[in-house]
Amino acid sequence: MSELKNDRFLRALLKQPVDATPVWMMRQAGRYLPEYRASRAKAGDFMSLCRNAEFACEVTMQPLDRYPSLDAAILFSDILTIPDAMGLGLYFETGEGPKFKKTVRTAKDVEALPVPDAQKDLGYVMNAVSTIRKELNGRVPLIGFSGSPWTLATYMVEGGSSKDFRLAKALAFNDPVTMHALLDKLTQSVISYLNAQIKAGAQAVQIFDTWGGALSHNAYREFSLNYMQKIVNGLIRENEGRQVPVILFTKNGGQWLESMADTGATALGLDWTTDIAAARARVGDKVALQGNMDPTMLYASPKRIREEVATILQGYGNGTGHIFNLGHGITPEVDPANAGAFIESVHELSAQYHQDS
Ligand code: CP3
């Protein structure tokens, strides 16, 4: 077991005192970085980056090398590796996002789906995790991740991205038994996938429920939260003598924070539509909070970015339990210098909120 040189991220998740608010960015390894675009060109395409542990490690390290102040690394992979391992045939068409060769729309389709073996079918991800851990050598903790069952199901039913989730929602409403059977298989798959990542060296895990917020109040509980609860219950929560924090992120889920906190997750991710001060008042005694600057703020000037960071830090207020992040992934058009200004501002401006620690 390697000693962690910078454990601010894990400490803040567990609400232990920190000297400054930790910061990382969703999608921090990605197309806004010229060095990422160069690695992808070398690998050939996105999935070749993910499938090759050396490449996945190289791109995971790129944001850390460019911004030495980042407090966490996130595994370079994708949430759609699970449906790919179930045999759906994931591919990416430039400018069009992810697509599947096969879709899942009937009870028979669901029955035919295997629950992937995390070691056999997704071993390339576990290789990436252990390779990255070695390369990090205790510099910062490594975050593993997965999609939520509902979010994965939307891609599998639709065959790719969707604006309105017409097919996935029609299946849930017309044939809930089939949708639940699909969500059950995905839940089993996610639990074994995340536990394998933890055993391979992931020191915290995040569940991306990118599309839970597209559901109605009741449907969110039935089709998304219910399954994330099962995942939280099924995860390894201690490894290498440390707690393994679990972060739940439902985009547009601000109205459900109390129920999300009741799952037993360690932390909740907030998008930018939620006021972080109000969120802390609602659930801050139960969970840590991660977020929540509007990612498009990175198109503004460094001065304006710094003001926004100050506002969010002030909103959260004194003490630990806050992990600074964007409210969703950084976008390809962002100037890398502005991302740097964001990260530096968080550390510079947050020390004053941790003086009693
Ligand atoms: O945060 C990180 O740096 C880790 C890497 C990461 C990627 N995808 C890399 C990636 C993570 C955590 C994800 C999660 C993911 N993938 C989600 C959930 C998070 C979210 O953003 O809500 C979703 C919905 C996906 C599915 C997916 N994969 C989409 C919608 C896309 C974008 C397609 C496009 O062309 O914009 C991808 C591809 C993808 N995943 C890229 C990256 C860096 C871009 C691929 C490229 O290089 O062209």
Side-chain angles (χ1 to χ4, degrees), residues 149-150 169 171-184 187 209 212 215-230 256 259:
W150 167 254
K169 286 186 170 182
L171 180 65
F173 302 150
N174 284 326
D175 187 359
V177 172
T178 295
M179 180 52 92
H180 283 300
L182 172 57
L183 293 168
D184 262 324
T187 300
D209 187 28
L215 291 165
S216 72
H217 190 72
N218 293 330
Y220 173 69
R221 279 176 174 66
E222 180 178 352
F223 296 108
S224 188
L225 186 65
N226 186 21
Y227 292 95
M228 294 199 288
Q229 173 76 69
K230 290 184 184 168
W256 301 312
S259 319

Side-chain angles (χ1 to χ4, degrees), residues 27-29 31 36 40 46 77-78 92 155 208 210 328:
R27 290 276 178 96
Q28 64 191 18
R31 284 169 294 182
Y36 170 82
R40 194 183 58 171
F46 170 69
S77 187
D78 199 81
F92 285 85
Y155 287 95
F208 286 90
T210 309
H328 198 202

Side-chain angles (χ1 to χ4, degrees), residues 28 35 56 60 76 94 127 140 148 181 201 207 266 279 281 291 303 342:
Q28 64 191 18
E35 56 271 35
T60 298
F76 190 83
T94 324
N127 281 341
V140 291
S148 73
I207 300 168
T266 319
K303 179 167 173 287
F342 163 70

Side-chain angles (χ1 to χ4, degrees), residues 122-180:
L122 290 156
Y124 67 91
V125 178
M126 308 317 146
N127 281 341
V129 171
S130 47
T131 305
I132 296 163
R133 265 300 292 277
K134 253 185 245 137
E135 182 67 29
L136 280 169
N137 192 24
R139 195 160 138 189
V140 291
L142 176 62
I143 306 166
F145 70 90
S146 153
S148 73
W150 167 254
T151 294
L152 295 176
T154 65
Y155 287 95
M156 296 168 78
V157 175
E158 302 284 340
S161 302
S162 169
K163 285 203 170 71
D164 53 7
F165 309 104
R166 182 170 63 86
L167 300 168
K169 286 186 170 182
L171 180 65
F173 302 150
N174 284 326
D175 187 359
V177 172
T178 295
M179 180 52 92
H180 283 300

